[in-house]
Amino acid sequence: MLEEKLENRHIKPTAMRLLVLRQLVESTAALSLADLEARFEKADKVTLYRTLKTFEGKKLIHAITDGTGAVKYALCAEDCECEPQDQHIHFHCTKCEETYCLTQSKVPQTKIPTGFKANSASMLFKGVCASCG
């Protein structure tokens, strides 16, 4: 299953890529580079960073800027091309600091002025998650 996810996005399934993908699949919240470093004590930070950038470039994951200063990453939907119309809302819990994808809630379509071209869109809600509630 993991190898197939990588192959569907034309990513060579190396051992590290499979390990990182497993963490992303099993996580209920978005993960930062630091989160992954903590889970892989002996992994090289540069290798982890390159793995994330490869995944992002091939649209397997998307980056989330939640205001904490650390970029977090989460899996994209199978049919996602990371276009503005594919983007969903994110929720950042100010108590536990976790960031969640609200995939059922799409970022609203907005009319962009003539001459402008949107490459991405994001919407972030902040508050307290159900676990911290």
Side-chain angles (χ1 to χ4, degrees):
M1 176 188 143
L2 295 177
E3 286 184 10
E4 188 176 308
K5 271 188 175 303
L6 292 177
E7 289 168 357
N8 287 344
R9 294 292 182 158
H10 308 288
I11 302 169
K12 184 180 174 185
T14 65
M16 181 54 73
R17 288 173 179 171
L18 289 166
L19 289 170
V20 171
L21 180 57
R22 179 177 307 284
Q23 291 298 311
L24 290 163
V25 167
E26 292 176 354
S27 181
T28 58
L31 299 173
S32 67
L33 177 58
D35 294 332
L36 288 169
E37 279 184 282
R39 294 174 187 208
F40 300 115
E41 293 176 16
K42 296 183 180 179
D44 177 49
K45 182 178 186 172
V46 174
T47 301
L48 288 172
Y49 178 78
R50 286 184 182 152
T51 298
L52 291 170
K53 285 300 170 189
T54 296
F55 287 2
E56 186 180 13
K58 296 288 188 170
K59 301 176 183 177
L60 178 65
I61 63 173
H62 60 279
I64 305 158
T65 306
D66 60 10
T68 62
V71 176
K72 295 182 181 170
Y73 301 91
L75 285 176
C76 289
E78 291 293 325
D79 60 345
C80 179
E81 290 299 322
C82 295
E83 296 294 329
Q85 65 271 15
D86 296 327
Q87 304 300 310
H88 55 262
I89 295 171
H90 295 96
F91 186 92
H92 177 73
C93 179
T94 55
K95 197 167 187 179
C96 67
E97 297 293 319
E98 298 284 6
T99 299
Y100 301 92
C101 292
L102 305 180
T103 55
Q104 72 281 7
S105 302
K106 298 290 184 192
V107 171
Q109 295 291 320
T110 301
K111 235 179 195 216
I112 304 295
T114 304
F116 290 77
K117 183 183 182 315
N119 295 324
S120 66
S122 67
M123 181 176 273
L124 176 74
F125 286 87
K126 291 186 177 192
V128 179
C129 70
S131 298
C132 294

